[in-house]
Amino acid sequence: MAVYDPPQALWKRNVAGTLDFILSMFVFGYLFSKIFGSQPGPHVVIPGSTTTEMFGLGGLPLLFTAIAVVAYFILLGRTGGTIFQRLFQMKRASRA
């Protein structure tokens, strides 16, 4: 079991994890949707409204995004912490 010295605040761990997940989903999702292109789906037109789709995830871009998000947490977790863990100055766990 990992020992924290001093223990990290629960709110700090939760906020860092949530923000890292949102950041990685947007960055990788946007990147892979632009690289592989989004497949056009059925268009629903509502009279009197206008919508703009920035990007869509589905199929291959969604698969690559999911893999990249998992890799983001694994690789950065092993090399000193994710972006928001570093911004919040969270201490690394020591093995006891």
Side-chain angles (χ1 to χ4, degrees):
M1 182 173 154
V3 177
Y4 294 94
D5 186 31
Q8 300 297 309
L10 182 62
W11 71 267
K12 193 183 279 190
R13 289 183 284 159
N14 289 337
V15 170
T18 302
L19 291 175
D20 277 320
F21 179 76
I22 291 170
L23 175 73
S24 62
M25 279 296 293
F26 275 112
V27 169
F28 292 127
Y30 185 78
L31 179 71
F32 289 127
S33 72
K34 291 301 177 188
I35 291 174
F36 296 107
S38 58
Q39 300 295 326
H43 294 285
V44 177
V45 178
I46 301 172
S49 68
T50 58
T51 59
T52 303
E53 182 178 339
M54 291 178 57
F55 65 94
L57 283 180
L60 203 55
L62 179 62
L63 177 65
F64 287 146
T65 299
I67 292 170
V69 168
V70 171
Y72 169 82
F73 281 100
I74 291 173
L75 293 176
L76 288 182
R78 291 182 181 175
T79 59
T82 60
I83 292 172
F84 284 100
Q85 286 174 348
R86 292 175 189 208
L87 285 176
F88 289 156
Q89 299 175 349
M90 295 176 67
K91 305 286 186 212
R92 301 292 299 162
S94 62
R95 299 195 187 271

